[in-house]
Amino acid sequence: MEIGAIFIRRRLADPSQVEAARREANGRRVDQILVDRGIVPEEDALRALADELHMQYQQLDDVAIDREVLSRFPPTAVFRHAVLPLYQEHGWVVAATSDPFDLEALDELGAVGGCRIRPVLSCRAEILRAIKTHLGVGGDTINQLVAQRAADGVEVLDELDDNLGELAESAQAPSVIKLVNELLIEALEQRASDIHLEPQEHGLVVRYRIDGLLRVQPMPAEVNQFHSAIVTRLKIMSRLNIAEKRLPQDGRINIRVQGREIDVRVSIIPMLYGEGIVMRLLDKQRMKFNLSGMGMDDDTHRKFHYLITMPYGIVLVTGPTGSGKTTTLYSALNEIKSDDTKIITVEDPVEYHLDGINQIQVHSKIGLTFAGALRSILRHDPDVVLIGEIRDGETATSAIQASLTGHLVFSTLHTNDAPGAFTRLVDMGVEPFLVASTVEGVLAQRLVRSLCPACKHPVGVNPQDLPPDFPRGDGKPIPLWQSNGCRQCNESGFRGRSGIFELLVNDAEIRRLCVDRVSAGVIRDYALKHGMLTLRQCGYLKALAGETTVDEVVRITRGDVA
């Protein structure tokens, strides 16, 4: 039976949709067109074809792939045809394919593997993911590198220097370029924020940071031969000195991948077994700067909005590196920007470009520091000033002076909680009475992983199995949520991250305590008695709401009970 008729009989598509696909065919099959246009889900189409052709449909998550069988086939053939050998059964090698009519691919795989192939049908995305997991990212490119073949991938937006001499020849080979591109593309597909290339004694280790946690990325063992070429290629893309291998270097790459502009921050540091590289990926189109989207609850949002709309004073956001401080400040600026408000930022570096906001990047080598830039921009008549980070006493004093002269100042500070910001500024040399009179509020924050909405489900947890500072209730099982992992979250159980917040709003008593130079603990005790939620308490509320897990909150915050 013709494929279109099969889909009509199984009510996967109506006759008009099938007829439109036939007219559009132009050498392609009707099922491929219907799947590409989103009319028929790929899984439904493959299940229908499997029934008609007396084949098996196989979800690869349920299969233990035999690595010994897979090793008999060259990676190039597996990658090129997207056909994955799974295991051996009764003298046949069972292989997953998404196209039951591609007999040429099956014949080639059988010929190079010296065996008979029995195909099963699986979704193409599942097959490609399993290939990358078992053969490593760029496995086909490594094979081409050894054979000196050619190809390309990512568009570099900055013009590169072609006259770099013999040192750059191997790094500019098309296959090396393709391998680096594949590393970047795979990281973006997995929603990674950072790529770590780490030279170890036994070879190069590649890790992606996804939702705040590092995951080892499988790579072919042969990649170790091309470590130097990969480093040189990244130096060329970053406009760094390819001959310098003894000193740390920092650079930047602007690329376009699948129509998305990506800003890549590159840091290279010489290590014991070679140069290590960390690349921070800033996806400009994926970022949405709004406070509600960060997971801020209504009460915290209302109080924080009150702080960021004050006419003058200092509002601080605190937390460790990677806790989302800059994103929160950008979101705050987006919330208050208007045609009658002038906003100037001083950052190191400028991570995202915001319309309607004047942004300055510091250059400490030529003397343009946070404090120096701040003194100059106050003559530009701003209403709101953002200082990327208060790192020293000079910057802190400049921020205090700016707030005293009628400006609203936003900045970040590295402290573990909100009350610690007051004592930190005093430690930097700012007079306590100035800190007390200018700091209007402090927001401490962390990022916790969000449960995957596709596979999370409610569970009842015994109170004895929870941390001692978790609200106990009446002793009955506490309704929480967990997830087992699925295809949508790559079996991790989590997808994306959300903020947890600790907001301290200054008042007359906190000002008095600050002037008296009390410890951060005393300020904290007072704030807790007057309604401040700690980071841990905010996280527990998210766990009860089904947004994250108690284990995730415990991993990222300090307990409230000694």
Side-chain angles (χ1 to χ4, degrees):
M1 184 178 288
E2 191 264 336
I3 294 177
I6 294 173
F7 283 9
I8 293 172
R9 178 163 55 81
R10 292 176 174 268
R11 297 181 180 177
L12 295 175
D14 58 48
S16 62
Q17 292 170 325
V18 171
E19 187 57 37
R22 286 171 179 155
R23 289 196 300 268
E24 187 185 324
N26 194 23
R28 299 179 67 209
R29 294 201 313 270
V30 169
D31 61 312
Q32 294 172 330
I33 295 172
L34 292 173
V35 169
D36 288 347
R37 291 172 60 181
I39 295 171
V40 180
E42 184 186 16
E43 183 172 336
D44 293 348
L46 290 173
R47 287 184 183 276
L49 291 175
D51 282 348
E52 294 291 333
L53 300 170
H54 304 291
M55 297 176 67
Q56 176 186 349
Y57 177 82
Q58 180 68 61
Q59 285 191 324
L60 297 186
D61 296 339
D62 305 328
V63 177
I65 297 173
D66 189 329
R67 290 183 176 273
E68 187 176 337
V69 170
L70 182 57
S71 67
R72 289 158 48 184
F73 298 85
T76 302
V78 174
F79 273 92
R80 183 169 66 250
H81 296 300
V83 178
L84 177 64
L86 302 176
Y87 52 85
Q88 190 157 347
E89 185 178 69
H90 307 307
W92 295 75
V93 169
V94 178
T97 178
S98 61
D99 187 350
F101 304 107
D102 189 2
L103 301 180
E104 182 183 341
L106 298 173
D107 288 344
E108 181 185 335
L109 210 66
V112 297
C115 61
R116 296 182 298 172
I117 300 292
R118 178 165 68 82
V120 295
L121 298 186
S122 300
C123 290
R124 182 176 177 83
E126 278 191 56
I127 295 173
L128 293 177
R129 186 165 60 242
I131 289 173
K132 288 176 182 176
T133 299
H134 289 83
L135 295 181
V137 175
D140 57 337
T141 307
I142 292 294
N143 212 39
Q144 293 174 38
L145 272 168
V146 177
Q148 289 301 303
R149 297 185 180 176
D152 201 357
V154 170
E155 178 185 357
V156 182
L157 299 180
D158 296 328
E159 187 175 340
L160 301 181
D161 186 359
D162 294 327
N163 300 315
L164 294 169
E166 295 181 6
L167 193 60
E169 283 185 11
S170 63
Q172 295 292 68
S175 291
V176 174
I177 292 173
K178 182 170 183 271
L179 176 60
V180 171
N181 291 348
E182 286 181 355
L183 284 171
L184 293 168
I185 292 170
E186 179 66 13
L188 290 168
E189 288 179 351
Q190 294 196 32
R191 301 176 298 106
S193 60
D194 301 84
I195 304 173
H196 293 239
L197 304 179
E198 303 168 338
Q200 305 288 342
E201 182 178 5
H202 303 293
L204 183 66
V205 175
V206 178
R207 298 198 286 175
Y208 292 163
R209 188 176 294 279
I210 302 170
D211 293 336
L213 290 181
L214 283 170
R215 300 181 192 171
V216 175
Q217 183 62 37
M219 295 291 293
E222 292 83 0
V223 76
N224 301 326
Q225 304 171 35
F226 309 102
H227 174 218
S228 178
I230 292 170
V231 172
T232 303
R233 170 61 186 168
L234 289 169
K235 284 182 179 180
I236 292 170
M237 295 171 71
S238 311
R239 296 177 166 276
L240 299 177
N241 183 357
I242 64 173
E244 180 56 74
K245 299 179 182 293
R246 301 164 301 169
L247 295 174
Q249 297 188 71
D250 293 320
R252 181 174 182 169
I253 309 170
N254 283 312
I255 59 175
R256 183 181 288 115
V257 180
Q258 299 168 349
R260 295 150 57 194
E261 281 196 24
I262 310 296
D263 192 10
V264 184
R265 301 290 164 79
V266 181
S267 175
I268 301 178
I269 298 179
M271 296 182 178
L272 187 61
Y273 297 104
E275 291 176 283
I277 300 180
V278 173
M279 291 178 277
R280 167 67 55 89
L281 306 178
L282 303 175
D283 190 341
K284 301 176 182 179
Q285 295 178 354
R286 200 178 72 184
M287 288 301 298
K288 300 290 184 288
F289 295 113
N290 66 82
L291 293 173
S292 300
M294 291 198 64
M296 196 175 283
D297 64 88
D298 292 339
D299 184 55
T300 303
H301 183 226
R302 177 180 55 79
K303 293 177 181 177
F304 191 63
H305 182 79
Y306 167 75
L307 290 174
I308 64 177
T309 53
M310 299 185 81
Y312 53 82
I314 297 178
V315 177
L316 296 171
V317 179
T318 76
T321 301
S323 59
K325 301 187 297 297
T326 302
T327 304
T328 297
L329 288 177
Y330 279 0
S331 301
L333 293 181
N334 258 346
E335 195 156 305
I336 64 172
K337 74 177 181 181
S338 64
D339 291 339
D340 54 7
T341 301
K342 178 154 186 173
I343 302 174
I344 302 180
T345 74
V346 187
E347 305 169 62
D348 182 21
V350 174
E351 293 192 358
Y352 296 97
H353 302 288
L354 303 177
D355 291 334
I357 294 173
N358 305 281
Q359 296 173 273
I360 300 170
Q361 181 157 316
V362 303
H363 293 284
S364 53
K365 291 182 180 179
I366 61 172
L368 183 60
T369 62
F370 280 119
L374 185 54
R375 285 192 296 270
S376 298
I377 65 177
L378 292 182
R379 294 192 286 272
H380 265 245
D381 188 29
D383 298 293
V384 180
V385 175
L386 184 149
I387 305 170
E389 182 184 342
I390 295 179
R391 297 175 176 172
D392 50 46
E394 184 183 11
T395 306
T397 301
S398 299
I400 296 286
Q401 293 301 323
S403 68
L404 289 173
T405 52
H407 302 88
L408 180 62
V409 179
F410 295 159
S411 190
T412 68
L413 201 62
H414 285 288
T415 62
N416 290 322
D417 57 13
F422 290 91
T423 53
R424 179 80 179 103
L425 289 173
V426 173
D427 289 342
M428 286 183 175
V430 181
E431 289 294 337
F433 74 91
L434 290 176
V435 175
S437 60
T438 56
V439 176
E440 299 296 341
V442 184
L443 180 75
Q445 72 176 71
R446 299 291 188 276
L447 294 175
V448 294
R449 292 183 295 168
S450 300
L451 282 168
C452 173
C455 62
K456 72 176 184 180
H457 57 274
V459 292
V461 180
N462 193 313
Q464 280 73 37
D465 297 331
L466 294 169
D469 58 353
F470 192 92
R472 285 287 181 265
D474 55 6
K476 296 180 180 177
I478 296 174
L480 294 171
W481 294 72
Q482 69 179 27
S483 55
N484 298 326
C486 64
R487 279 181 286 175
Q488 292 192 27
C489 60
N490 202 19
E491 304 301 328
S492 68
F494 297 91
R495 186 170 181 85
R497 288 189 291 174
S498 179
I500 56 174
F501 304 93
E502 176 179 295
L503 179 60
L504 175 59
V505 180
N506 204 353
D507 62 15
E509 180 61 19
I510 292 177
R511 290 188 177 94
R512 185 189 66 78
L513 292 172
C514 185
V515 170
D516 290 344
R517 292 178 180 265
V518 301
S519 68
V522 176
I523 298 176
R524 179 184 180 83
D525 291 341
Y526 169 81
L528 289 174
K529 289 177 184 176
H530 289 78
M532 183 185 81
L533 275 181
T534 66
L535 288 165
R536 178 68 71 102
Q537 290 167 344
C538 181
Y540 284 157
L541 291 177
K542 282 189 178 291
L544 289 167
E547 297 177 37
T548 188
T549 65
V550 172
D551 288 343
E552 182 67 8
V553 175
V554 170
R555 180 182 71 84
I556 214 75
T557 62
R558 190 178 65 178
D560 293 331
V561 176

